[in-house]
Amino acid sequence: MRKDLSRKDNAMKQEKKSIIIFLCITLLLLSFYPLYSLEKKGPLTVAESSDYTATSRYSDVMNFIRDLQEKSSLIRVETLCVSPEGREIPLLIIGQPVPSSPLALNHDERAVLYIQANIHAGEVEGKEASLMLVRDILLQEKPPYLDKLVILIAPIFNADGNEKIDPNNRRRQAGPEKGVGVRYNGQNLDLNRDGMKLESPEVQGLVRNVLNKWDPFLLVDCHTTNGSYHQEPVTYIWALNPNGDLPLIEYMREKMMPSINKNLKQKYDVLSVPYGNFMDYRDPEKGWRPSGPEPRYITNYIGLRNRMAILNENYSYAEYKTRVLGCYYFLHSILEYCHAHTNEITQLIHQADQKTVQRGLHPSEKDTVAVEYDLKPLKEKVTVLGYEMEVIEKEGSRPQIRRTDKPKAYSVPFFCDFVPKRSVSFPFAYLIPTADSEIINKLLQHGLLVEKLTKPTKLEVESFRITEITGAERLYQGHRMNSVKGDYNFEEKEFPVGTLFISTAQPLANVAAYLLEPESDDGLLVWNFLDRHVVPQWGRGPLPYPVYKLLKPANLVKERVK
Ligand SMILES: [Zn+2]
């Protein structure tokens, strides 16, 4: 009997336990219900719905965006540009509320941030990750970030390249197996070399409809790597050209990026390392270095504009799903940092613009434009989680370098500090007496303030005498890039009515200098815009360089060119 009772007791206890467990599970499920139901509401990207075997086509992206628009009032779609093949490139404006225009933000504390993906359309994870990001922000009951940030996203920047999806593209990349697009846009141009010459509708649209219009404090440009072997799925680098605002570069390098990447590791368990390649595969200990400082690279161009930029390169040999999720969490980590530091960042940017304008009003001899750079290592070494490498010598051909499966951490010098090696004077203004409409349009496209003299004026200026100009033998981006030699002189010169006057007391002064300096490695002369002004049909030698520098302030009668 006692036995029976205790059995009954036990059975009752068991039943009670089961009920409690059942209740707990129900409560747990209920607490997840909002998330679960939201997930069910939101559209899936092609990456997700294909179990990471495919990437979105243009129509998939547009359908995904329309689906989100039906579910959320916090998104508006603008057109960044029409691609060479006629596709409208969507620019998503995400805000709470969505600002009707940049003017609507004038009396608003929110700051604007911009993310673009798929500029090289074989490098697709940014496209998938940025779409997931928009969905997962918009469909939360309380969307994060939007009290302080307006987020602009161009998920498919190079749509023409994207539509050429083929499994044979980027074969060394680890998926998606159903193929990716091509690097080039519909004009066969590399859009990430178009930062200064602005010859593609996509980059022209970026400058006109994003940078000059919305003035984002940060641009994030999503890519996939092509080079070294390492374990980190996410890599990144900031703007590198030392003609940009140095405090901004230092802030990104010393504070912002380390913090973003620490968070990425701690919160999302994703490893990252500054973007680069071993300088010598045979001897990785020699060092690690990123790409060059030229502003033809979009992120370096943004630096010249006194804004922040992150080049995101996801590791080509990591599985597609790892790359998509790595990029997705990296974008979250960036947003979290910017959300927590909005005031600090906007203040820094404001100071950079102010300093630039002040310098242009009264340039001193200490103010210069760097035209050649040295590459120096940072004080701290970088640790790259790589692999032991194997060198296979082959007679008569280049040695093959293969990675082994043995992980190896390399703590090596990080050559990432481009510093001026040779600099020239920074002027009060640039003067162009013989500007044609192509030159004027190029300056205006960048958003520069361009004026013209309305009275003939005699001025003491610095001029550049070209002694040698050579077009490159090899065509590059449709150009035979010029290299030039010459010397600087002072002269008194009469400037006629209509002479262009480009003041350096404007926030984009560094862009103006980079375009107009004769020895600039990414200026109008290099990219052949001045060819017919400097090389005569008849006669000896090149003509004088057509841009003059007014070093000292002068009050001139002029009007704005539109
Ligand atoms: Zn790329």
Side-chain angles (χ1 to χ4, degrees):
M1 183 72 177
R2 199 179 287 162
K3 226 176 194 178
D4 268 6
L5 265 177
S6 86
R7 209 175 284 152
K8 210 173 172 185
D9 250 17
N10 269 346
M12 273 177 75
K13 268 185 197 161
Q14 205 61 40
E15 203 176 321
K16 255 187 192 168
K17 214 172 168 184
S18 307
I19 290 170
I20 289 169
I21 291 173
F22 173 77
L23 281 173
C24 283
I25 290 173
T26 313
L27 274 172
L28 200 69
L29 283 176
L30 277 175
S31 70
F32 277 113
Y33 178 74
L35 275 180
Y36 174 73
S37 61
L38 281 177
E39 201 181 300
K40 291 300 271 187
K41 267 201 314 189
L44 291 179
T45 61
V46 170
E48 292 166 316
S49 63
S50 71
D51 197 18
Y52 294 91
T53 58
T55 190
S56 321
R57 290 189 172 268
Y58 176 74
S59 58
D60 299 318
V61 173
M62 298 312 287
N63 289 337
F64 187 96
I65 295 168
R66 283 178 198 124
D67 210 342
L68 285 181
Q69 283 183 289
E70 278 177 19
K71 292 179 171 59
S72 170
S73 60
L74 309 185
I75 174 171
R76 199 159 52 73
V77 184
E78 296 189 349
T79 300
L80 188 140
C81 71
V82 177
S83 74
E85 292 177 8
R87 297 181 179 91
E88 289 194 7
I89 306 301
L91 173 68
L92 316 184
I93 319 286
I94 319 287
Q96 192 171 24
V98 190
S100 54
S101 76
L103 269 183
L105 290 171
N106 270 1
H107 305 288
D108 196 315
E109 292 287 289
R110 291 177 295 170
V112 181
L113 171 153
Y114 169 66
I115 297 166
Q116 69 178 23
N118 221 51
I119 182 168
H120 292 147
E123 306 168 12
V124 294
E125 59 271 10
K127 175 181 54 177
E128 305 294 334
S130 61
L131 291 174
M132 286 159 65
L133 180 82
V134 183
R135 175 196 62 202
D136 295 349
I137 291 173
L138 289 181
L139 300 189
Q140 282 192 42
E141 208 175 328
K142 284 186 186 155
Y145 315 125
L146 302 184
D147 55 329
K148 293 207 180 142
L149 300 174
V150 171
I151 304 168
L152 270 46
I153 299 188
I156 185 161
F157 191 74
N158 176 6
D160 292 353
N162 189 76
E163 291 312 275
K164 299 177 180 77
I165 287 177
D166 189 315
N168 287 319
N169 294 334
R170 285 181 71 85
R171 292 188 66 150
R172 293 184 51 175
Q173 181 171 289
E177 61 190 62
K178 289 186 183 153
V180 295
V182 296
R183 183 175 184 87
Y184 308 104
N185 79 338
Q187 299 161 290
N188 253 358
L189 287 177
D190 183 335
L191 300 179
N192 200 26
R193 303 294 182 272
D194 201 31
M196 291 298 276
K197 59 188 175 63
L198 304 186
E199 291 181 309
S200 63
E202 290 91 342
V203 182
Q204 285 175 6
L206 163 69
V207 176
R208 183 174 60 249
N209 294 323
V210 182
L211 307 182
N212 289 340
K213 184 175 171 186
W214 288 96
D215 192 19
F217 66 83
L218 172 73
L219 170 144
V220 185
D221 195 16
C222 303
H223 292 250
T224 316
T225 64
N226 289 311
S228 292
Y229 291 96
H230 49 79
Q231 297 162 46
E232 297 89 346
V234 171
T235 79
Y236 57 87
I237 201 76
W238 43 89
L240 293 169
N241 195 290
N243 285 304
D245 184 72
L246 293 180
L248 282 186
I249 295 175
E250 277 163 24
Y251 178 81
M252 295 211 66
R253 191 174 68 197
E254 311 294 335
K255 186 170 179 194
M256 182 169 171
M257 294 317 298
S259 174
I260 288 171
N261 297 296
K262 196 172 158 197
N263 184 43
L264 184 62
K265 169 80 179 72
Q266 286 175 351
K267 187 166 175 184
Y268 302 109
D269 198 24
V270 176
L271 291 174
S272 62
V273 68
Y275 172 59
N277 282 296
F278 289 115
M279 290 157 82
D280 184 347
Y281 284 89
R282 290 156 163 260
D283 185 4
E285 306 290 341
K286 278 188 185 164
W288 182 254
R289 64 157 289 177
S291 40
E294 298 91 344
R296 71 193 66 157
Y297 299 101
I298 301 292
T299 45
N300 292 335
Y301 172 64
I302 299 296
L304 277 193
R305 295 177 64 106
N306 289 345
R307 298 294 177 266
M308 295 185 183
I310 301 172
L311 172 71
N312 161 227
E313 295 269 359
N314 302 298
Y315 180 51
S316 188
Y317 308 117
E319 289 299 319
Y320 177 43
K321 184 175 181 179
T322 308
R323 300 203 310 273
V324 173
L325 293 179
C327 180
Y328 172 81
Y329 290 127
F330 185 54
L331 295 176
H332 267 300
S333 196
I334 292 169
L335 288 173
E336 280 159 17
Y337 184 90
C338 293
H339 182 256
H341 298 84
T342 314
N343 290 344
E344 184 176 89
I345 291 172
T346 46
Q347 259 176 33
L348 274 169
I349 275 162
H350 183 64
Q351 283 163 9
D353 278 354
Q354 268 189 331
K355 224 177 355 171
T356 304
V357 172
Q358 286 302 323
R359 178 191 54 175
L361 287 173
H362 300 284
S364 78
E365 279 180 14
K366 283 187 205 149
D367 295 317
T368 54
V369 185
V371 291
E372 279 181 42
Y373 314 103
D374 267 331
L375 179 54
K376 297 204 162 156
L378 299 180
K379 272 187 223 133
E380 304 257 334
K381 286 186 169 183
V382 64
T383 300
V384 183
L385 302 178
Y387 298 92
E388 282 184 19
M389 302 301 286
E390 219 169 45
V391 181
I392 301 154
E393 301 286 353
K394 277 191 175 171
E395 221 176 289
S397 67
R398 286 170 58 185
Q400 248 193 350
I401 291 130
R402 267 209 311 245
R403 86 163 174 87
T404 67
D405 288 331
K406 286 181 209 151
K408 182 176 175 187
Y410 295 92
S411 258
V412 298
F414 183 22
F415 284 85
C416 164
D417 196 10
F418 288 94
V419 294
K421 179 179 175 188
R422 190 165 63 84
S423 298
V424 296
S425 57
F426 183 87
F428 171 76
Y430 290 93
L431 291 158
I432 315 176
T434 52
D436 56 31
S437 58
E438 199 183 4
I439 297 170
I440 296 171
N441 285 339
K442 206 45 65 186
L443 297 169
L444 292 175
Q445 275 173 0
H446 282 274
L448 287 161
L449 169 67
V450 181
E451 294 167 286
K452 63 181 179 190
L453 300 186
T454 50
K455 259 176 106 175
T457 315
K458 202 177 233 183
L459 293 162
E460 163 100 4
V461 289
E462 191 182 84
S463 60
F464 184 76
R465 187 176 64 100
I466 299 174
T467 52
E468 196 184 312
I469 179 161
T470 321
E473 228 166 80
R474 189 171 159 262
L475 274 165
Y476 176 72
Q477 303 298 318
H479 287 267
R480 294 197 189 279
M481 293 174 79
N482 287 321
S483 55
V484 71
K485 282 183 186 156
D487 43 56
Y488 297 89
N489 304 285
F490 286 101
E491 61 177 285
E492 203 167 28
K493 188 175 164 62
E494 179 87 26
F495 290 91
V497 169
T499 294
L500 291 192
F501 177 96
I502 298 102
S503 160
T504 59
Q506 53 178 318
L508 294 177
N510 294 326
V511 174
Y514 223 104
L515 286 169
L516 296 173
E517 281 298 334
E519 295 188 275
S520 159
D521 58 14
D522 229 339
L524 294 182
L525 183 65
V526 163
W527 289 112
N528 308 113
F529 290 100
L530 302 177
D531 282 7
R532 59 182 182 268
H533 295 276
V534 296
V535 181
Q537 184 181 4
W538 309 110
R540 280 186 298 132
L543 298 169
Y545 184 64
V547 183
Y548 297 83
K549 293 205 275 188
L550 178 60
L551 296 185
K552 294 205 177 106
N555 195 23
L556 304 174
V557 184
K558 51 199 186 306
E559 66 184 23
R560 186 171 186 162
V561 177
K562 283 181 184 157

